[in-house]
Amino acid sequence: MSLGKLTYFPVMAKGLQLALIAEHSGLGWEGQTKGRGEGPEDWPQLKVQCPFGQMPFLVTPEGLSIGQSTAIANYMGRKADTLGKTDAEYAVSQMCMAEGEDLFGLLGAAKLQVWQTPENRLPAEEVEKFWTEHFPRHFACLEKLCTASAGFTSTGTTVGEIYLFGVLLQISLMRSECLSPFAALKKWFDTLASDPKTKKVIDGSSAIGTLNQYFHNA
């Protein structure tokens, strides 16, 4: 069984989470990255294949084009049976995914994207508030939820957990110590980070190839 072909830019951003979910699914999948060139296979010409004119998008073996990151993630989870073993685990997994989206939104609000020009970036003291106030507040909430032996659920690898991990990884690449005060969250994160399937995506040897960091150190 194949999940289909995942297409995104050659950056982590929203693509890392989906590549991780696909790799952890145990199912076959294809991946490709596209630039903003003018060739027939470059991103501008691919917009017509996307339901909302955005990447990432996944084309299933049946030819269905799925847009929106969380929709793609949940489709993969349904195919791989990683949405959660119980209704409660499904709910927790979905909370993790939604929290991943909130954290990604904070990264954008802090204007930490690599493409931000110096004049558009926030003053250093404002950026620092994200690290000392906003991110820790979210991490503390996650810590309270991370009560299962494997993480947030009995497996620690539901689709929502992996999605959350992908965002946390991008945050930790900027400040590696940011999760250290949160013991349970850090333990789950480190366990998932050491998984060979995770390493395969991070080192660029998965189906989608190399995905570069989307945010700059701040």
Side-chain angles (χ1 to χ4, degrees):
M1 184 185 299
S2 172
L3 294 172
K5 178 180 283 188
L6 176 66
T7 302
Y8 194 53
F9 299 110
V11 295
M12 293 181 176
K14 293 296 184 80
L16 175 64
Q17 295 82 278
L18 300 179
L20 287 166
I21 291 168
E23 193 62 36
H24 276 268
S25 73
L27 302 177
W29 68 288
E30 299 175 73
Q32 61 179 353
T33 56
K34 295 294 181 179
R36 297 181 181 275
E38 298 180 357
E41 295 298 318
D42 289 318
W43 164 232
Q45 286 63 246
L46 293 178
K47 283 189 177 184
V48 294
Q49 298 183 31
C50 311
F52 300 99
Q54 300 170 325
M55 291 202 289
F57 69 98
L58 176 79
V59 177
T60 71
E62 297 76 26
L64 173 66
S65 182
I66 306 173
Q68 303 292 5
S69 299
T70 55
I72 296 170
N74 279 318
Y75 169 84
M76 291 178 173
R78 182 178 172 88
K79 297 289 283 187
D81 195 23
T82 56
L83 292 174
K85 293 182 178 180
T86 66
D87 290 347
E89 286 198 349
Y90 172 78
V92 170
S93 175
Q94 293 300 304
M95 283 195 288
C96 287
M97 188 182 301
E99 178 63 6
E101 285 288 275
D102 283 352
L103 288 169
F104 194 88
L106 279 179
L107 290 166
K111 295 188 177 182
L112 294 174
Q113 302 96 326
V114 294
W115 50 261
Q116 292 281 4
T117 59
E119 60 268 21
N120 285 336
R121 291 176 181 165
L122 295 179
E125 60 271 18
E126 290 187 35
V127 173
E128 193 60 26
K129 285 185 178 180
F130 282 87
W131 294 106
T132 59
E133 299 177 19
H134 302 311
F135 288 129
R137 187 181 306 123
H138 283 260
F139 297 161
C141 291
L142 288 168
E143 177 77 3
K144 292 178 182 179
L145 285 174
C146 195
T147 58
S149 59
F152 297 89
T153 69
S154 61
T155 66
T157 55
T158 61
V159 64
E161 287 169 287
I162 296 176
Y163 196 98
L164 171 64
F165 170 84
V167 179
L168 291 175
L169 176 63
Q170 295 178 74
I171 295 173
S172 70
L173 288 175
M174 289 182 280
R175 296 202 179 180
S176 60
E177 77 289 350
C178 66
L179 298 180
S180 296
F182 310 95
L185 181 63
K186 183 70 161 57
K187 179 182 178 182
W188 162 79
F189 178 87
D190 288 345
T191 299
L192 198 46
S194 65
D195 189 294
K197 293 182 286 293
T198 301
K199 290 182 176 181
K200 185 176 180 180
V201 175
I202 295 172
D203 69 19
S205 58
S206 77
I208 203 165
T210 300
L211 298 173
N212 299 308
Q213 171 65 310
Y214 185 63
F215 301 101
H216 72 86
N217 294 333

